[in-house]
Amino acid sequence: ISKAGKPQTVVVDFSCPNIAKQMHVGHLRSTIIGDCICRVLEFQGHKVIRQNHIGDWGTQFGMLVNYMIKLYTTAALDGMHNANESDDLKFTDMEDFYRRAKELYDTDDEFAENSRECVVKLQSKDLSMLTYWQRIVDESLIHCQQLYDKLGVKLNKNHVCGESFYNCLLYTSPSP
């Protein structure tokens, strides 16, 4: 196979998991296809930019952050010191974490209202909300990376750019 006569820069967007949820077959399919495309293009001499655009922003994150706060509050009440900074609370099952948060959101009016308040604070760059949000994102990406490693795909955290990247651009007014 001959190398490209005029190498180009090519962006390949693949995987695109949603935070705090397991990847489904569509994510796995696009991960494998994207990785294959990248490898072929690189072999031909093209510069490839891998892009993993994750779903890490929006209304559901108020729900997830609020649930995280609830977990930490419960842990603190149960005698865990510095629960907010502890690594003792790990997400062994992200799907279960999401499901439990969603159940509370759908059945508990106070939880739902607190979740909406968390969204407003998160979008306003409240440091405590961002800290919880980042923990959820980081834990989710650990689970994703384990899967990428098992699949042998060349995808890592340097290729991640989420919806959150655009938050600062949503609230700026255009230049005259």
Side-chain angles (χ1 to χ4, degrees):
I1 298 175
S2 57
K3 299 290 182 185
K6 187 176 177 184
Q8 298 179 16
T9 299
V10 181
V11 177
V12 178
D13 186 21
F14 56 104
S15 195
C16 304
N18 293 308
I19 295 303
K21 287 186 168 183
Q22 290 181 348
M23 284 191 269
H24 57 68
V25 70
H27 296 120
L28 298 176
R29 182 183 65 238
S30 65
T31 298
I32 297 300
I33 292 170
D35 191 61
C36 291
I37 290 169
C38 289
R39 289 174 189 237
V40 168
L41 291 170
E42 287 171 332
F43 184 78
Q44 291 176 327
H46 298 287
K47 177 183 176 188
V48 174
I49 299 171
R50 287 170 170 79
Q51 179 65 54
N52 192 7
H53 186 80
I54 62 170
D56 71 341
W57 204 245
T59 304
Q60 75 272 24
F61 283 91
M63 174 187 77
L64 295 171
V65 166
N66 192 29
Y67 187 64
M68 172 69 84
I69 291 169
K70 186 174 180 65
L71 287 177
Y72 281 134
T73 302
T74 303
L77 292 174
D78 288 343
M80 178 193 254
H81 300 296
N82 298 321
N84 191 27
E85 299 174 9
S86 175
D87 285 333
D88 292 341
L89 291 174
K90 292 287 185 188
F91 302 110
T92 54
D93 185 344
M94 293 304 297
E95 193 72 20
D96 185 59
F97 176 82
Y98 186 91
R99 183 184 52 75
R100 289 175 185 252
K102 180 73 169 122
E103 282 176 10
L104 273 175
Y105 187 83
D106 290 343
T107 61
D108 183 331
D109 291 339
E110 183 179 352
F111 183 85
E113 180 59 32
N114 289 341
S115 296
R116 287 187 285 276
E117 290 174 14
C118 287
V119 172
V120 172
K121 290 178 182 178
L122 183 61
Q123 292 175 344
S124 299
K125 301 178 186 175
D126 178 280
L127 186 58
S128 65
M129 294 297 116
L130 287 170
T131 300
Y132 286 116
W133 168 82
Q134 190 65 57
R135 178 110 186 245
I136 294 166
V137 171
D138 290 346
E139 280 292 326
S140 293
L141 290 177
I142 287 169
H143 290 265
C144 291
Q145 191 61 53
Q146 291 169 346
L147 185 55
Y148 299 147
D149 292 346
K150 274 185 182 179
L151 293 172
V153 298
K154 296 179 180 182
L155 188 62
N156 61 53
K157 66 181 180 178
N158 296 326
H159 304 122
V160 172
C161 184
E163 295 165 338
S164 59
F165 173 82
Y166 301 99
N167 186 53
C168 64
L169 302 173
L170 295 175
Y171 302 105
T172 58
S173 56
S175 301

